[in-house]
Amino acid sequence: QVQLVESGGGLVQAGDSLRLSCAASGITFRSSYTMGWFRQAPHQEREFVAAISRTGNPLYAASVKGRFTISRDNANNTLALQMNSLKPDDTAVYYCAAAPFGSNWNSPATYNYWGQGTQVTVSS
């Protein structure tokens, strides 16, 4: 059974940093899984934040490029998202996701497995 568990969310002020983590079980990172982060604000669709291939190639949404960094530890089956210079617009529930195949990494439909999400709130 695949399980993804996010942690690290919280309430911060604009300009602060947060580091999200995702612990995976039931899958092996060293396989072909691409891992991604998505977020969903109230009354909005789930949107792509960042993804990282099995070999470590990252892809970022334009809105977070230069502020967020995605990384993975294949040995420990963990995924991280370092978020710097946070803005109130970054407020959302952040989800970790895993995709065993496919190529459209910025589409939620590509991902088979999802975590429950962690809330990030950025005050102005």
Side-chain angles (χ1 to χ4, degrees), residues 46-61:
R46 191 166 297 190
E47 68 169 354
F48 171 73
V49 175
I52 187 166
S53 71
R54 176 179 62 87
T55 56
N57 292 321
L59 176 68
Y60 296 99

Side-chain angles (χ1 to χ4, degrees), residues 45-118:
E45 294 186 354
R46 191 166 297 190
E47 68 169 354
F48 171 73
V49 175
I52 187 166
S53 71
R54 176 179 62 87
T55 56
N57 292 321
L59 176 68
Y60 296 99
S63 60
V64 307
K65 197 169 186 179
R67 299 188 298 123
F68 291 10
T69 302
I70 189 171
S71 60
R72 65 190 291 164
D73 182 345
N74 288 343
N76 292 302
N77 273 15
T78 57
L79 178 73
L81 184 69
Q82 177 66 41
M83 306 186 295
N84 299 329
S85 303
L86 282 161
K87 305 174 182 180
D89 284 349
D90 295 318
T91 296
V93 176
Y94 282 71
Y95 297 91
C96 168
F101 45 75
S103 60
N104 194 11
W105 307 123
N106 60 357
S107 170
T110 299
Y111 295 80
N112 293 60
Y113 307 109
W114 293 86
Q116 293 300 307
T118 185

